[in-house]
Amino acid sequence: MLSAANYANSDIPQRAVNGSGASGLRPFLADATQRRLAPREHAFYEGDEGSHIYRIERGIMTLYRLLPDGRRQIICFKFPGDLIGFEAREQRTCGAEAVTEAELRCLPMHIASQRLRQDASVGVEVVELLAAELADARNQLAVLNRRSAMEKLAAFIVDLWRREAPRQGACLALHISRSDMADFLGLTVETISRSLTKLKLKRIIALPEAHRLVILDMGRLEGLSTGEALD
Amino acid sequence: MLSAANYANSDIPQRAVNGSGASGLRPFLADATQRRLAPREHAFYEGDEGSHIYRIERGIMTLYRLLPDGRRQIICFKFPGDLIGFEAREQRTCGAEAVTEAELRCLPMHIASQRLRQDASVGVEVVELLAAELADARNQLAVLNRRSAMEKLAAFIVDLWRREAPRQGACLALHISRSDMADFLGLTVETISRSLTKLKLKRIIALPEAHRLVILDMGRLEGLSTGEALD
DNA sequence: CGTATAGTTGACCTAATTCAAAAGACGTGG
DNA sequence: CCACGTCTTTTGAATTAGGTCAACTATACG
């Protein structure tokens, strides 16, 4: 839901090369040049012509679209192992910004599409990748529409948790700011903050610090994410 | 935005085989068996295993997901020439329902995926198809979130118009019910109805009958769809 | 440390939902 | 063709979730 491929860890892991992602492109990615991004730096902007595809080696990125009124809609968060920039044909349909410091491998698009034209197995891979992204986007669509702020937020946390769970008990490192959450869930920072506070008061989560979140009652949280009432 | 490929006409045309869609699968689709659906009949349900892919020959279909509270989110509308059912891997991530009477060509999935594994050009095609769907879904995501009812509705009408425009002046046959619009835009039927009435009063559209819509002022309508105020 | 940025909290307001009910379309069968 | 019941659409009144504006606090960073 946050992104297509599942990822590991919380301190933005050096995750082993994506299992489901890129076997046929893997050798090419291995050779690809590397690029480092500071937080808020962009890999590319909406409207750019797509010159490369990227694999995230380290850090968290967002794909986002700008709305006519200047606000942005975050489409998804991407984590180490994920590929981004594949959707581009002529123009990029969304921008890609680093949330944390990040490291990317950059594979020139023409190499990728050449491989795609030559080798059917690459096609199979990429189709799977895109199908997963599509399922993801559609899921997000279903979550955003017609759900309460609390449901959205609960679903978001549960989802984050699922990605980070293998690691360290019930404690999540929140690398994502309130404002990024808001732009992802289609809410305001105030609403995010208020909802977090409510969850805290109900002892469903704890926030030892602003960017560290502990899940106290996963059952309730999952309940909330599927429409149960809070009170 | 309503769907990936653009389509023609309004009385649900027998449109010539999709240009951008399926050249490498075309011969297979041509041989494929046909299936007719009555309105509200399903091609497949969410959770089904994906046995076929379909090309719409006639009629309008929706892809939708069911929400935990029983409501549904319409993901997109699909028109003649469009392919559906490709996103499925193990399980279908959304259901496909006929809005109007519809006719489909059904290509068994195993044939399609066999072709995909054998022929790189099929991969290229399908990747393009999926990339378009993805762009579409993401666009929809951006429209639904954080936009007013009026903006959503205006954008919807403009989009419908773009698909049907080539045909008959400013008059659209609305095969889509208020309730389907609502489920697509994430609004209630009441809000849809009220917004349509407002547009009518402002002489931006006319509704000679409930399912026939005339655009009187496309400029205003487009303005509304990109955030201009109504008054 | 001091300044800027991010997060929280409160009061108020508005757009859209909900509930309720009327009016209009549509098909069925007499 | 008309009467009838059903379903869709429209309209109205009341409610509310979330947005906006504004002030305050906490955190990060040079």
Side-chain angles (χ1 to χ4, degrees):
Chain A
M1 187 144 80
L2 295 175
S3 88
N6 53 349
Y7 90 115
N9 191 341
S10 103
D11 267 310
I12 318 164
Q14 232 82 270
R15 200 254 235 144
V17 171
N18 194 332
S20 65
S23 61
L25 289 171
R26 200 178 292 180
F28 295 84
L29 277 161
D31 296 343
T33 58
Q34 219 148 319
R35 185 171 163 198
R36 169 165 301 192
L37 299 177
R40 302 279 117 183
E41 203 176 340
H42 282 71
F44 51 81
Y45 290 88
E46 195 176 333
D48 284 1
E49 55 155 338
S51 63
H52 293 76
I53 66 173
Y54 306 89
R55 187 179 62 204
I56 302 178
E57 301 292 308
R58 208 165 58 76
I60 301 178
M61 311 258 331
T62 59
L63 298 183
Y64 71 93
R65 299 198 52 169
L66 288 173
L67 304 179
D69 64 359
R71 286 203 274 209
R72 66 189 186 142
Q73 171 65 46
I74 291 183
I75 303 293
C76 57
F77 292 97
K78 291 292 189 183
F79 297 90
D82 293 344
L83 290 170
I84 61 177
F86 225 112
E87 73 292 350
R89 286 88 59 76
E90 336 72 53
Q91 291 201 318
R92 314 227 85 129
T93 55
C94 43
E97 186 189 83
V99 173
T100 63
E101 198 181 296
E103 231 167 82
L104 308 176
R105 281 207 186 276
C106 318
L107 182 64
M109 196 81 97
H110 68 268
I111 295 184
S113 48
Q114 182 189 319
R115 293 255 28 192
L116 180 64
R117 279 191 304 274
Q118 286 167 351
D119 182 349
S121 80
V122 173
V124 173
E125 263 178 59
V126 176
V127 166
E128 258 174 52
L129 189 93
L130 286 174
E133 300 255 331
L134 187 60
D136 199 40
R138 288 176 170 176
N139 194 51
Q140 183 60 11
L141 231 155
V143 170
L144 286 185
N145 236 210
R146 307 265 223 148
R147 315 280 296 248
S148 72
M150 195 49 99
E151 276 175 276
K152 291 182 191 181
L153 184 61
F156 174 77
I157 296 171
V158 169
D159 215 55
L160 253 194
W161 163 254
R162 295 248 165 80
R163 298 171 190 292
E164 309 215 0
R167 294 287 172 262
Q168 64 236 52
C171 183
L172 286 183
L174 270 188
H175 299 283
I176 296 167
S177 72
R178 306 289 189 267
S179 138
D180 283 344
M181 290 186 218
D183 288 344
F184 180 59
L185 298 176
L187 300 167
T188 58
V189 276
E190 292 95 329
T191 303
I192 297 282
S193 184
R194 276 187 254 270
S195 304
L196 283 173
T197 306
K198 268 185 213 157
L199 290 176
K200 210 167 56 178
L201 292 174
K202 294 276 171 190
R203 314 235 167 261
I204 294 169
I205 64 167
L207 293 166
E209 20 184 327
H211 291 271
R212 194 156 289 277
L213 185 154
V214 184
I215 298 177
L216 301 176
D217 187 344
M218 180 56 94
R220 292 290 316 277
L221 199 60
E222 283 178 325
L224 287 173
S225 76
T226 54
E228 276 175 28
L230 182 60
D231 286 325
Chain B
M1 187 145 80
L2 296 174
S3 89
N6 53 349
Y7 91 117
N9 190 342
S10 104
D11 265 309
I12 317 164
Q14 230 84 269
R15 200 254 234 138
V17 173
N18 194 332
S20 65
S23 61
L25 288 171
R26 201 177 294 181
F28 295 84
L29 277 161
D31 297 343
T33 58
Q34 219 148 321
R35 186 172 161 196
R36 169 166 300 193
L37 298 177
R40 302 280 118 183
E41 203 177 339
H42 282 70
F44 51 81
Y45 290 88
E46 194 176 335
D48 284 0
E49 55 156 338
S51 63
H52 293 75
I53 67 174
Y54 305 88
R55 187 178 64 204
I56 302 177
E57 301 291 307
R58 207 165 58 76
I60 302 179
M61 310 254 337
T62 59
L63 297 184
Y64 71 93
R65 298 197 52 168
L66 288 174
L67 305 179
D69 64 0
R71 286 203 275 207
R72 65 188 186 143
Q73 172 66 45
I74 291 182
I75 303 292
C76 56
F77 292 98
K78 291 293 187 181
F79 297 91
D82 293 343
L83 288 171
I84 61 177
F86 225 112
E87 74 291 352
R89 285 88 59 76
E90 338 69 54
Q91 291 201 319
R92 314 226 88 130
T93 54
C94 42
E97 186 189 83
V99 173
T100 63
E101 197 181 296
E103 231 167 82
L104 308 176
R105 281 208 185 275
C106 319
L107 182 64
M109 195 83 96
H110 69 267
I111 294 184
S113 49
Q114 181 189 321
R115 292 256 25 191
L116 179 64
R117 280 191 304 273
Q118 286 168 352
D119 182 350
S121 81
V122 173
V124 172
E125 264 178 57
V126 175
V127 165
E128 258 172 52
L129 190 92
L130 286 175
E133 300 254 332
L134 187 59
D136 198 40
R138 288 177 170 175
N139 194 52
Q140 182 61 10
L141 233 156
V143 170
L144 286 185
N145 237 211
R146 307 264 223 146
R147 315 280 296 248
S148 73
M150 195 48 99
E151 276 174 275
K152 291 182 190 181
L153 185 60
F156 174 76
I157 296 172
V158 169
D159 215 55
L160 253 193
W161 163 255
R162 294 246 165 80
R163 296 169 191 294
E164 310 214 1
R167 295 287 170 261
Q168 62 235 53
C171 183
L172 285 184
L174 269 188
H175 300 282
I176 297 166
S177 72
R178 307 289 189 267
S179 138
D180 284 344
M181 291 185 218
D183 287 345
F184 181 59
L185 298 176
L187 300 167
T188 58
V189 277
E190 292 95 329
T191 303
I192 298 283
S193 183
R194 277 187 253 270
S195 304
L196 284 172
T197 308
K198 267 186 215 157
L199 290 175
K200 209 167 57 179
L201 293 174
K202 293 276 170 191
R203 314 236 168 261
I204 294 169
I205 63 167
L207 292 166
E209 20 185 323
H211 291 270
R212 193 157 290 277
L213 186 153
V214 184
I215 298 177
L216 302 175
D217 188 343
M218 180 57 93
R220 292 291 313 277
L221 199 60
E222 282 178 326
L224 287 173
S225 77
T226 54
E228 276 174 28
L230 182 60
D231 287 326

Short mmCIF file of all heavy atoms in Angstrom, two decimals, chain B residues 167-218:
data_model
loop_
_atom_site.label_atom_id
_atom_site.label_comp_id
_atom_site.label_asym_id
_atom_site.label_seq_id
_atom_site.Cartn_x
_atom_site.Cartn_y
_atom_site.Cartn_z
N ARG B 167 -17.79 12.78 -31.46
CA ARG B 167 -19.11 12.49 -32.01
C ARG B 167 -20.05 13.67 -32.16
O ARG B 167 -19.95 14.45 -33.07
CB ARG B 167 -19.78 11.37 -31.20
CG ARG B 167 -19.03 10.05 -31.32
CD ARG B 167 -19.24 9.43 -32.70
NE ARG B 167 -18.35 8.29 -32.89
CZ ARG B 167 -17.20 8.35 -33.55
NH1 ARG B 167 -16.81 9.46 -34.13
NH2 ARG B 167 -16.44 7.28 -33.66
N GLN B 168 -20.92 13.82 -31.18
CA GLN B 168 -22.11 14.62 -31.45
C GLN B 168 -22.20 15.94 -30.69
O GLN B 168 -22.95 16.06 -29.74
CB GLN B 168 -23.34 13.81 -31.10
CG GLN B 168 -23.40 13.43 -29.64
CD GLN B 168 -23.53 11.94 -29.45
OE1 GLN B 168 -22.72 11.20 -29.99
NE2 GLN B 168 -24.53 11.54 -28.72
N GLY B 169 -21.43 16.90 -31.13
CA GLY B 169 -21.55 18.22 -30.52
C GLY B 169 -21.34 18.19 -29.03
O GLY B 169 -20.50 17.44 -28.53
N ALA B 170 -22.10 18.98 -28.33
CA ALA B 170 -21.88 19.13 -26.89
C ALA B 170 -22.77 18.22 -26.07
O ALA B 170 -22.85 18.36 -24.87
CB ALA B 170 -22.11 20.59 -26.50
N CYS B 171 -23.43 17.28 -26.72
CA CYS B 171 -24.40 16.46 -26.01
C CYS B 171 -23.87 15.07 -25.69
O CYS B 171 -23.46 14.31 -26.56
CB CYS B 171 -25.67 16.34 -26.85
SG CYS B 171 -26.96 15.41 -26.05
N LEU B 172 -23.84 14.77 -24.41
CA LEU B 172 -23.33 13.48 -23.94
C LEU B 172 -24.47 12.56 -23.55
O LEU B 172 -25.37 12.98 -22.84
CB LEU B 172 -22.48 13.67 -22.69
CG LEU B 172 -21.08 14.24 -22.79
CD1 LEU B 172 -20.46 14.23 -21.40
CD2 LEU B 172 -20.26 13.43 -23.75
N ALA B 173 -24.39 11.31 -23.96
CA ALA B 173 -25.30 10.31 -23.40
C ALA B 173 -24.65 9.79 -22.13
O ALA B 173 -23.56 9.23 -22.16
CB ALA B 173 -25.54 9.19 -24.39
N LEU B 174 -25.32 10.01 -21.03
CA LEU B 174 -24.79 9.58 -19.73
C LEU B 174 -25.25 8.16 -19.43
O LEU B 174 -26.34 7.95 -18.91
CB LEU B 174 -25.32 10.48 -18.62
CG LEU B 174 -24.54 11.72 -18.22
CD1 LEU B 174 -25.17 12.31 -16.97
CD2 LEU B 174 -23.09 11.37 -17.97
N HIS B 175 -24.42 7.20 -19.76
CA HIS B 175 -24.83 5.83 -19.48
C HIS B 175 -24.56 5.48 -18.02
O HIS B 175 -24.92 4.41 -17.56
CB HIS B 175 -24.07 4.87 -20.39
CG HIS B 175 -24.31 5.11 -21.83
ND1 HIS B 175 -25.46 4.71 -22.46
CD2 HIS B 175 -23.58 5.75 -22.77
CE1 HIS B 175 -25.41 5.07 -23.73
NE2 HIS B 175 -24.28 5.71 -23.94
N ILE B 176 -23.91 6.40 -17.35
CA ILE B 176 -23.45 6.12 -16.00
C ILE B 176 -24.40 6.76 -14.99
O ILE B 176 -24.71 7.94 -15.08
CB ILE B 176 -22.02 6.67 -15.84
CG1 ILE B 176 -21.09 5.92 -16.79
CG2 ILE B 176 -21.54 6.58 -14.41
CD1 ILE B 176 -19.75 6.56 -16.99
N SER B 177 -24.88 5.98 -14.05
CA SER B 177 -25.86 6.48 -13.08
C SER B 177 -25.23 7.41 -12.07
O SER B 177 -24.02 7.40 -11.86
CB SER B 177 -26.52 5.31 -12.36
OG SER B 177 -25.59 4.74 -11.47
N ARG B 178 -26.04 8.20 -11.40
CA ARG B 178 -25.55 9.09 -10.33
C ARG B 178 -24.80 8.28 -9.28
O ARG B 178 -23.80 8.72 -8.73
CB ARG B 178 -26.71 9.82 -9.68
CG ARG B 178 -27.64 10.56 -10.62
CD ARG B 178 -26.98 11.79 -11.20
NE ARG B 178 -27.94 12.61 -11.93
CZ ARG B 178 -28.18 12.54 -13.22
NH1 ARG B 178 -27.52 11.68 -13.97
NH2 ARG B 178 -29.06 13.35 -13.80
N SER B 179 -25.35 7.13 -9.03
CA SER B 179 -24.76 6.32 -7.97
C SER B 179 -23.38 5.79 -8.38
O SER B 179 -22.45 5.71 -7.57
CB SER B 179 -25.73 5.21 -7.61
OG SER B 179 -25.07 4.00 -7.41
N ASP B 180 -23.21 5.46 -9.66
CA ASP B 180 -21.88 5.05 -10.12
C ASP B 180 -20.90 6.22 -10.11
O ASP B 180 -19.74 6.07 -9.76
CB ASP B 180 -21.96 4.44 -11.53
CG ASP B 180 -22.52 3.02 -11.51
OD1 ASP B 180 -22.55 2.41 -10.43
OD2 ASP B 180 -22.92 2.52 -12.58
N MET B 181 -21.41 7.41 -10.49
CA MET B 181 -20.55 8.60 -10.41
C MET B 181 -20.09 8.79 -8.98
O MET B 181 -18.92 9.07 -8.71
CB MET B 181 -21.32 9.85 -10.84
CG MET B 181 -21.66 9.90 -12.30
SD MET B 181 -22.45 11.52 -12.66
CE MET B 181 -23.67 11.01 -13.85
N ALA B 182 -21.04 8.67 -8.06
CA ALA B 182 -20.74 8.86 -6.65
C ALA B 182 -19.66 7.88 -6.18
O ALA B 182 -18.69 8.28 -5.53
CB ALA B 182 -22.00 8.70 -5.82
N ASP B 183 -19.83 6.63 -6.56
CA ASP B 183 -18.87 5.61 -6.13
C ASP B 183 -17.51 5.81 -6.79
O ASP B 183 -16.49 5.35 -6.29
CB ASP B 183 -19.39 4.21 -6.44
CG ASP B 183 -20.52 3.80 -5.50
OD1 ASP B 183 -20.69 4.47 -4.46
OD2 ASP B 183 -21.24 2.84 -5.81
N PHE B 184 -17.51 6.46 -7.93
CA PHE B 184 -16.25 6.75 -8.60
C PHE B 184 -15.56 7.94 -7.96
O PHE B 184 -14.36 7.91 -7.68
CB PHE B 184 -16.51 7.03 -10.08
CG PHE B 184 -15.28 7.32 -10.89
CD1 PHE B 184 -14.24 6.41 -10.98
CD2 PHE B 184 -15.17 8.52 -11.58
CE1 PHE B 184 -13.11 6.68 -11.75
CE2 PHE B 184 -14.05 8.79 -12.35
CZ PHE B 184 -13.02 7.87 -12.43
N LEU B 185 -16.32 8.98 -7.70
CA LEU B 185 -15.74 10.23 -7.21
C LEU B 185 -15.63 10.28 -5.70
O LEU B 185 -15.07 11.23 -5.14
CB LEU B 185 -16.57 11.42 -7.71
CG LEU B 185 -16.63 11.57 -9.24
CD1 LEU B 185 -17.57 12.70 -9.62
CD2 LEU B 185 -15.24 11.80 -9.81
N GLY B 186 -16.16 9.28 -5.04
CA GLY B 186 -16.10 9.28 -3.59
C GLY B 186 -17.04 10.30 -2.98
O GLY B 186 -16.67 11.01 -2.05
N LEU B 187 -18.23 10.41 -3.52
CA LEU B 187 -19.23 11.34 -3.00
C LEU B 187 -20.53 10.56 -2.82
O LEU B 187 -20.60 9.38 -3.13
CB LEU B 187 -19.43 12.47 -4.00
CG LEU B 187 -18.20 13.34 -4.33
CD1 LEU B 187 -18.45 14.19 -5.54
CD2 LEU B 187 -17.82 14.18 -3.13
N THR B 188 -21.54 11.25 -2.32
CA THR B 188 -22.86 10.62 -2.23
C THR B 188 -23.69 11.01 -3.45
O THR B 188 -23.40 12.02 -4.10
CB THR B 188 -23.60 11.08 -0.97
OG1 THR B 188 -23.72 12.50 -1.01
CG2 THR B 188 -22.86 10.67 0.28
N VAL B 189 -24.72 10.24 -3.73
CA VAL B 189 -25.61 10.59 -4.85
C VAL B 189 -26.20 11.97 -4.65
O VAL B 189 -26.36 12.73 -5.61
CB VAL B 189 -26.78 9.59 -5.01
CG1 VAL B 189 -26.35 8.39 -5.81
CG2 VAL B 189 -27.35 9.18 -3.68
N GLU B 190 -26.54 12.28 -3.41
CA GLU B 190 -27.14 13.58 -3.12
C GLU B 190 -26.20 14.72 -3.54
O GLU B 190 -26.63 15.69 -4.17
CB GLU B 190 -27.46 13.73 -1.64
CG GLU B 190 -28.57 12.81 -1.13
CD GLU B 190 -28.03 11.53 -0.54
OE1 GLU B 190 -26.97 11.07 -1.02
OE2 GLU B 190 -28.65 11.00 0.40
N THR B 191 -24.94 14.57 -3.21
CA THR B 191 -23.98 15.61 -3.56
C THR B 191 -23.83 15.72 -5.07
O THR B 191 -23.75 16.83 -5.61
CB THR B 191 -22.62 15.32 -2.90
OG1 THR B 191 -22.81 15.21 -1.50
CG2 THR B 191 -21.63 16.43 -3.17
N ILE B 192 -23.79 14.59 -5.73
CA ILE B 192 -23.72 14.59 -7.19
C ILE B 192 -24.91 15.36 -7.77
O ILE B 192 -24.75 16.27 -8.59
CB ILE B 192 -23.76 13.15 -7.76
CG1 ILE B 192 -22.56 12.33 -7.29
CG2 ILE B 192 -23.85 13.16 -9.29
CD1 ILE B 192 -21.28 12.63 -7.98
N SER B 193 -26.07 14.99 -7.28
CA SER B 193 -27.29 15.61 -7.79
C SER B 193 -27.30 17.12 -7.54
O SER B 193 -27.57 17.91 -8.45
CB SER B 193 -28.49 14.96 -7.11
OG SER B 193 -29.69 15.46 -7.62
N ARG B 194 -26.95 17.50 -6.33
CA ARG B 194 -26.91 18.93 -6.00
C ARG B 194 -25.90 19.67 -6.87
O ARG B 194 -26.18 20.76 -7.36
CB ARG B 194 -26.53 19.10 -4.53
CG ARG B 194 -27.70 18.97 -3.59
CD ARG B 194 -27.27 19.32 -2.18
NE ARG B 194 -27.17 18.14 -1.34
CZ ARG B 194 -28.19 17.66 -0.62
NH1 ARG B 194 -29.35 18.23 -0.65
NH2 ARG B 194 -28.03 16.58 0.12
N SER B 195 -24.76 19.07 -7.07
CA SER B 195 -23.72 19.75 -7.87
C SER B 195 -24.17 19.89 -9.31
O SER B 195 -23.94 20.93 -9.95
CB SER B 195 -22.41 18.97 -7.81
OG SER B 195 -22.00 18.80 -6.47
N LEU B 196 -24.81 18.86 -9.84
CA LEU B 196 -25.32 18.94 -11.20
C LEU B 196 -26.35 20.07 -11.32
O LEU B 196 -26.34 20.83 -12.28
CB LEU B 196 -25.95 17.60 -11.62
CG LEU B 196 -24.98 16.48 -11.99
CD1 LEU B 196 -25.71 15.16 -12.20
CD2 LEU B 196 -24.18 16.85 -13.25
N THR B 197 -27.19 20.15 -10.30
CA THR B 197 -28.20 21.20 -10.30
C THR B 197 -27.55 22.58 -10.31
O THR B 197 -27.97 23.47 -11.05
CB THR B 197 -29.13 21.07 -9.08
OG1 THR B 197 -29.63 19.75 -9.03
CG2 THR B 197 -30.28 22.05 -9.15
N LYS B 198 -26.52 22.74 -9.49
CA LYS B 198 -25.80 24.03 -9.47
C LYS B 198 -25.24 24.36 -10.85
O LYS B 198 -25.37 25.48 -11.33
CB LYS B 198 -24.63 23.96 -8.47
CG LYS B 198 -24.99 24.45 -7.08
CD LYS B 198 -23.76 24.48 -6.19
CE LYS B 198 -24.13 24.13 -4.75
NZ LYS B 198 -22.98 23.61 -3.98
N LEU B 199 -24.63 23.38 -11.50
CA LEU B 199 -24.07 23.60 -12.83
C LEU B 199 -25.16 23.98 -13.81
O LEU B 199 -24.94 24.79 -14.73
CB LEU B 199 -23.34 22.34 -13.33
CG LEU B 199 -22.03 21.99 -12.62
CD1 LEU B 199 -21.48 20.67 -13.13
CD2 LEU B 199 -21.00 23.09 -12.80
N LYS B 200 -26.32 23.41 -13.60
CA LYS B 200 -27.46 23.68 -14.48
C LYS B 200 -27.92 25.12 -14.27
O LYS B 200 -28.13 25.86 -15.23
CB LYS B 200 -28.59 22.70 -14.14
CG LYS B 200 -29.49 22.35 -15.29
CD LYS B 200 -30.38 21.15 -14.95
CE LYS B 200 -31.24 21.35 -13.71
NZ LYS B 200 -32.10 20.16 -13.44
N LEU B 201 -28.04 25.51 -13.00
CA LEU B 201 -28.50 26.86 -12.68
C LEU B 201 -27.53 27.91 -13.20
O LEU B 201 -27.94 28.99 -13.62
CB LEU B 201 -28.68 27.02 -11.16
CG LEU B 201 -29.81 26.19 -10.55
CD1 LEU B 201 -29.81 26.31 -9.04
CD2 LEU B 201 -31.15 26.63 -11.14
N LYS B 202 -26.24 27.59 -13.19
CA LYS B 202 -25.23 28.53 -13.68
C LYS B 202 -25.12 28.47 -15.21
O LYS B 202 -24.23 29.09 -15.78
CB LYS B 202 -23.87 28.20 -13.05
CG LYS B 202 -23.79 28.44 -11.56
CD LYS B 202 -23.48 29.88 -11.24
CE LYS B 202 -23.65 30.15 -9.75
NZ LYS B 202 -23.62 31.58 -9.45
N ARG B 203 -25.97 27.67 -15.82
CA ARG B 203 -25.99 27.53 -17.28
C ARG B 203 -24.65 27.05 -17.83
O ARG B 203 -24.21 27.48 -18.90
CB ARG B 203 -26.38 28.83 -17.97
CG ARG B 203 -27.58 29.52 -17.35
CD ARG B 203 -28.70 29.78 -18.37
NE ARG B 203 -29.92 30.18 -17.67
CZ ARG B 203 -30.93 29.32 -17.42
NH1 ARG B 203 -30.88 28.07 -17.81
NH2 ARG B 203 -32.01 29.75 -16.77
N ILE B 204 -23.97 26.20 -17.08
CA ILE B 204 -22.72 25.63 -17.56
C ILE B 204 -23.01 24.32 -18.27
O ILE B 204 -22.37 23.95 -19.24
CB ILE B 204 -21.74 25.43 -16.39
CG1 ILE B 204 -21.34 26.80 -15.83
CG2 ILE B 204 -20.49 24.67 -16.83
CD1 ILE B 204 -20.60 26.76 -14.53
N ILE B 205 -24.02 23.63 -17.77
CA ILE B 205 -24.51 22.44 -18.47
C ILE B 205 -26.04 22.51 -18.54
O ILE B 205 -26.66 23.34 -17.88
CB ILE B 205 -24.14 21.13 -17.74
CG1 ILE B 205 -24.80 21.08 -16.36
CG2 ILE B 205 -22.63 21.00 -17.61
CD1 ILE B 205 -24.75 19.72 -15.69
N ALA B 206 -26.61 21.63 -19.36
CA ALA B 206 -28.06 21.44 -19.34
C ALA B 206 -28.32 19.95 -19.24
O ALA B 206 -27.49 19.13 -19.67
CB ALA B 206 -28.67 22.01 -20.60
N LEU B 207 -29.44 19.61 -18.63
CA LEU B 207 -29.82 18.21 -18.50
C LEU B 207 -31.22 18.01 -19.08
O LEU B 207 -32.19 17.94 -18.33
CB LEU B 207 -29.81 17.80 -17.02
CG LEU B 207 -28.46 17.75 -16.33
CD1 LEU B 207 -28.61 17.66 -14.83
CD2 LEU B 207 -27.65 16.56 -16.84
N PRO B 208 -31.32 17.93 -20.39
CA PRO B 208 -32.64 17.77 -21.00
C PRO B 208 -33.38 16.56 -20.44
O PRO B 208 -34.59 16.60 -20.27
CB PRO B 208 -32.33 17.61 -22.49
CG PRO B 208 -30.87 17.34 -22.58
CD PRO B 208 -30.24 17.92 -21.37
N GLU B 209 -32.65 15.51 -20.16
CA GLU B 209 -33.21 14.40 -19.39
C GLU B 209 -32.11 13.90 -18.46
O GLU B 209 -30.94 14.26 -18.62
CB GLU B 209 -33.70 13.28 -20.32
CG GLU B 209 -33.07 13.35 -21.69
CD GLU B 209 -33.62 12.34 -22.68
OE1 GLU B 209 -33.91 11.21 -22.24
OE2 GLU B 209 -33.70 12.67 -23.87
N ALA B 210 -32.49 13.08 -17.52
CA ALA B 210 -31.55 12.69 -16.47
C ALA B 210 -30.27 12.05 -17.03
O ALA B 210 -29.20 12.18 -16.45
CB ALA B 210 -32.23 11.74 -15.49
N HIS B 211 -30.39 11.40 -18.16
CA HIS B 211 -29.23 10.71 -18.71
C HIS B 211 -28.74 11.31 -20.02
O HIS B 211 -28.14 10.62 -20.84
CB HIS B 211 -29.53 9.22 -18.88
CG HIS B 211 -29.67 8.52 -17.56
ND1 HIS B 211 -28.60 7.95 -16.92
CD2 HIS B 211 -30.74 8.36 -16.75
CE1 HIS B 211 -29.03 7.44 -15.76
NE2 HIS B 211 -30.31 7.67 -15.64
N ARG B 212 -29.00 12.57 -20.18
CA ARG B 212 -28.46 13.27 -21.33
C ARG B 212 -27.93 14.61 -20.85
O ARG B 212 -28.64 15.33 -20.15
CB ARG B 212 -29.54 13.43 -22.41
CG ARG B 212 -29.01 13.86 -23.76
CD ARG B 212 -29.95 13.48 -24.89
NE ARG B 212 -29.97 12.03 -25.09
CZ ARG B 212 -29.06 11.38 -25.83
NH1 ARG B 212 -28.09 12.03 -26.43
NH2 ARG B 212 -29.13 10.07 -25.96
N LEU B 213 -26.69 14.91 -21.17
CA LEU B 213 -26.05 16.08 -20.62
C LEU B 213 -25.49 16.93 -21.75
O LEU B 213 -24.80 16.40 -22.63
CB LEU B 213 -24.93 15.62 -19.67
CG LEU B 213 -24.18 16.66 -18.85
CD1 LEU B 213 -23.64 16.03 -17.58
CD2 LEU B 213 -23.03 17.28 -19.63
N VAL B 214 -25.77 18.20 -21.73
CA VAL B 214 -25.25 19.12 -22.74
C VAL B 214 -24.30 20.10 -22.07
O VAL B 214 -24.64 20.72 -21.06
CB VAL B 214 -26.39 19.90 -23.43
CG1 VAL B 214 -25.82 20.78 -24.55
CG2 VAL B 214 -27.44 18.95 -23.96
N ILE B 215 -23.13 20.22 -22.63
CA ILE B 215 -22.17 21.18 -22.08
C ILE B 215 -22.38 22.52 -22.76
O ILE B 215 -22.23 22.65 -23.97
CB ILE B 215 -20.73 20.70 -22.28
CG1 ILE B 215 -20.52 19.38 -21.54
CG2 ILE B 215 -19.73 21.75 -21.81
CD1 ILE B 215 -19.15 18.77 -21.72
N LEU B 216 -22.74 23.53 -21.97
CA LEU B 216 -23.02 24.84 -22.54
C LEU B 216 -21.78 25.73 -22.48
O LEU B 216 -21.57 26.57 -23.33
CB LEU B 216 -24.16 25.51 -21.76
CG LEU B 216 -25.48 24.73 -21.72
CD1 LEU B 216 -26.49 25.45 -20.83
CD2 LEU B 216 -26.03 24.54 -23.12
N ASP B 217 -20.98 25.58 -21.46
CA ASP B 217 -19.82 26.45 -21.29
C ASP B 217 -18.60 25.63 -20.87
O ASP B 217 -18.30 25.49 -19.70
CB ASP B 217 -20.14 27.52 -20.24
CG ASP B 217 -19.04 28.57 -20.14
OD1 ASP B 217 -17.91 28.31 -20.63
OD2 ASP B 217 -19.29 29.63 -19.57
N MET B 218 -17.92 25.10 -21.89
CA MET B 218 -16.78 24.23 -21.61
C MET B 218 -15.68 24.96 -20.87
O MET B 218 -15.01 24.38 -20.01
CB MET B 218 -16.26 23.66 -22.94
CG MET B 218 -15.07 22.74 -22.79
SD MET B 218 -15.38 21.33 -21.71
CE MET B 218 -15.89 20.13 -22.92
#
